[in-house]
Amino acid sequence: MQIGDGVATCSGLDNCMSSELLDFGNDVYGIALNLDPDYVAVVLFGEYERIKEGDEVKRTGKIIQVPVGDQVLGRVINPLGKPLDGKGDIETSKSRYIERIAPGIILRQHVNAPDGAQGR
């Protein structure tokens, strides 16, 4: 329907899920944000200047995920999990949703001395 500032407004995406990965073709993807009954607002990834009003967008049926594990440590990846650092592909069998509830705070040892007072 409309594109501007890296956000597309799309119609005809029945049963689209929140955070679903959408394919615009030409290596341009998006993530569904709000799910209004008449349209879906989509944040675009890639060279979105290539797409225009009236182009086709396809649902992937997948919630956006990125690879996780030791293989990702020290690497630079984009929101789609593709490496940007020129160090080759990331080989891992695990992935996590990018939109998820943060884990709780880990129990830690209580502070028992003022800052800098330990070791005096």
Side-chain angles (χ1 to χ4, degrees), residues 15-60:
N15 300 315
C16 186
M17 299 177 284
S18 180
S19 298
E20 182 173 347
L21 185 64
L22 303 172
D23 186 355
F24 286 81
N26 295 320
D27 215 25
V28 177
Y29 293 89
I31 180 173
L33 292 182
N34 73 312
L35 305 175
D36 189 273
D38 299 322
Y39 68 92
V40 176
V42 182
V43 173
L44 300 169
F45 303 116
E47 295 182 35
Y48 61 84
E49 296 85 5
R50 297 185 199 174
I51 60 176
K52 59 188 179 311
E53 183 180 326
D55 283 355
E56 184 176 63
V57 57
K58 297 177 185 175
R59 291 185 55 212
T60 64

Side-chain angles (χ1 to χ4, degrees), residues 96-103:
R96 295 246 174 132
Y97 298 124
I98 64 170
E99 295 286 334
R100 59 184 302 232
I101 296 172

